[in-house]
């Protein structure tokens, strides 16, 4: 049976490291992250709650800006501008997805690059592309690389296949895995890819970021491969209190016996995403408080 990569455990280690780092700094003020949430999408409500709770545990202050579903692009941008100019705010997070009438891209690009802890702005995506280490890297791709590294998965010269080309996961992850020092050979697949199964079956590291259950089946996985499941899908389930359960994009039961390592859902990539948000927030704080960081 494969090694199950425990995202909860690795995330907890990172939280402890960040907490210890902040205690050592003894800065004049705590780091502060501002969350902007538009509307009441239940998943967004729970993600923001989780992030705020973890922040507090580490010693990071958070603020929540709740905007009504009907907010205009201009009003949203005014809030972003105010937070950009606020010296008490180190980090700004706009919880995605935004309602359809708003432009996520315009909003992401409006965030000051040194507060853009999600790494979705042109500036940070460009810096990542340039392999500049000062880039804020999107939290899910950064979390995936961190869990790959911390669980001893070899990347140099290995074949990585990513299913999904989103700005939030697939694209930045392709840049991360192919950068110097990581050195994987990366293939990005998507809905138009031909022979998906055949391409995937070449992968030493297979990453599924599609948003559809059971996209990855056993025949698509090479014996001994490392399989990273980014999907978080709610499927109806009669035997749970909520009436649904969370599953990834990988058919876990079928695929697990074939792999060397695999991430579960829940408790895999998800907690790592949150941990990287905390890491980026502490990094933003260090940039804003150089006198503390140098101690
Ligand atoms: C877990 C997200 C899709 C769209 C917008 C832990 C999270 C999830 C799962 C979490 C996600 C996914 C987040 C688990 C934040 C990850 O135990 O498996 C944590 O909070 N995430 C988000 O903010 O926006 C999303 C996925």
């Amino acid at each position: 049976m494969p090694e199950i990569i425990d995202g909860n455990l690795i995330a907890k280690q990172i939280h402890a490291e960040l907490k210890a780092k902040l205690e050592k700094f003894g800065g004049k003020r705590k780091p502060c992250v501002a969350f902007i949430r538009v509307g009441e999408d239940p998943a967004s409500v729970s993600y923001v709650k989780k992030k705020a709770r973890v922040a507090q545990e580490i010693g990071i202050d958070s603020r929540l800006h709740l905007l009504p579903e009907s907010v205009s692009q201009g009003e949203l941008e005014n809030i972003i501008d105010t937070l950009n100019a606020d010296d008490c705010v180190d980090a700004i997070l706009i919880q995605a997805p935004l309602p359809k009438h708003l432009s996520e891209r315009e909003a992401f690009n409006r965030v000051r690059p040194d507060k853009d802890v999600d790494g979705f702005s042109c500036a940070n995506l460009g810096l990542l592309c340039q392999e500049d280490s000062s880039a804020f890297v999107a939290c899910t791709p950064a979390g995936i690389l961190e869990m790959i590294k911390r669980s001893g998965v070899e990347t140099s010269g290995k074949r990585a296949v990513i299913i999904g080309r989103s700005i939030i996961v697939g694209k930045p992850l392709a840049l991360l895995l192919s950068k110097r020092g990581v050195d994987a050979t990366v293939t990005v697949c998507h809905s138009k890819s031909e022979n998906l199964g055949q391409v995937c079956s070449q992968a030493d590291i297979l990453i599924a970021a599609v948003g559809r259950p059971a996209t990855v089946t056993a025949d698509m996985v090479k014996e001994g491969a490392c399989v990273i499941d980014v999907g978080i899908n709610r499927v109806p389930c009669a035997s749970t209190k909520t009436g649904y359960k969370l599953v990834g994009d990988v058919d876990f039961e079928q695929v697990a016996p074939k792999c060397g390592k695999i991430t579960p859902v829940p408790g895999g990539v998800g907690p790592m995403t949150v941990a990287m948000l905390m890491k980026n927030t502490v990094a933003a704080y260090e940039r804003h408080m150089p006198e503390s960081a140098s101690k």
Side-chain angles (χ1 to χ4, degrees):
M1 277 309 272
E3 177 189 328
I4 312 283
I5 301 178
D6 187 342
N8 280 321
L9 186 73
I10 303 173
K12 268 194 199 136
Q13 287 164 358
I14 293 167
H15 299 162
E17 288 164 18
L18 292 172
K19 190 174 180 190
K21 188 176 199 181
L22 288 175
E23 281 165 1
K24 219 168 103 192
F25 278 175
K28 286 195 198 83
R29 62 168 180 85
K30 287 184 180 181
C32 175
V33 55
F35 298 110
I36 300 174
R37 199 189 81 209
V38 179
E40 299 295 328
D41 169 60
S44 294
V45 171
S46 95
Y47 291 147
V48 170
K49 254 192 216 157
K50 185 170 299 177
K51 291 171 188 177
R53 197 188 61 226
V54 172
Q56 196 202 355
E57 283 164 12
I58 294 172
I60 298 170
D61 282 335
S62 66
R63 295 190 194 170
L64 179 54
H65 292 264
L66 282 182
L67 307 180
E69 186 85 23
S70 61
V71 73
S72 70
Q73 187 78 25
E75 288 167 318
L76 172 61
E77 288 177 5
N78 283 341
I79 306 272
I80 298 169
D81 291 348
T82 306
L83 295 170
N84 278 341
D86 188 335
D87 287 338
C88 297
V89 172
D90 295 295
I92 302 169
L93 183 136
I94 304 164
Q95 182 62 45
L98 290 175
K100 291 228 171 10
H101 68 279
L102 297 172
S103 163
E104 263 174 21
R105 187 142 68 99
E106 296 283 321
F108 293 153
N109 284 339
R110 193 97 183 177
V111 177
R112 237 172 70 174
D114 64 313
K115 299 190 180 189
D116 171 31
V117 285
D118 255 342
F120 298 153
S121 66
C122 293
N124 279 307
L125 283 166
L127 288 170
L128 172 63
C129 205
Q130 292 177 333
E131 303 191 16
D132 185 316
S133 60
S134 72
F136 282 120
V137 180
C139 299
T140 300
I144 291 167
L145 183 60
E146 194 72 29
M147 80 197 302
I148 283 177
K149 282 185 174 168
R150 291 192 188 220
S151 46
V153 177
E154 186 89 57
T155 54
S156 182
K158 301 298 178 193
R159 280 188 170 230
V161 174
I162 302 166
I163 318 175
R165 56 180 157 183
S166 71
I167 285 288
I168 292 179
V169 184
K171 271 193 184 53
L173 182 60
L175 293 168
L176 264 188
L177 290 174
S178 57
K179 75 172 183 180
R180 285 161 188 81
V182 182
D183 300 312
T185 304
V186 177
T187 303
V188 179
C189 299
H190 45 76
S191 52
K192 298 289 194 314
S193 296
E194 292 179 355
N195 305 322
L196 180 67
Q198 198 238 319
V199 175
C200 291
S201 65
Q202 309 269 305
D204 301 302
I205 303 170
L206 179 61
I207 299 126
V210 184
R212 196 189 61 188
T215 301
V216 174
T217 49
D219 56 300
M220 298 166 73
V221 178
K222 180 162 108 178
E223 198 73 44
C226 170
V227 175
I228 309 279
D229 192 349
V230 188
I232 301 180
N233 307 297
R234 285 185 181 202
V235 299
C237 176
S239 60
T240 65
K241 263 192 234 157
T242 52
Y244 68 86
K245 64 173 181 172
L246 294 180
V247 301
D249 294 343
V250 176
D251 185 337
F252 188 91
E253 297 296 303
Q254 201 193 94
V255 167
K258 250 187 126 174
C259 8
K261 295 188 164 107
I262 187 166
T263 65
V265 176
V269 174
M272 293 300 297
T273 298
V274 178
M276 291 300 105
L277 172 65
M278 302 304 144
K279 190 177 174 199
N280 284 349
T281 299
V282 170
Y285 170 74
E286 286 182 68
R287 283 197 217 176
H288 298 144
M289 303 281 282
E291 66 285 359
S292 311
S294 61
K295 265 195 226 162

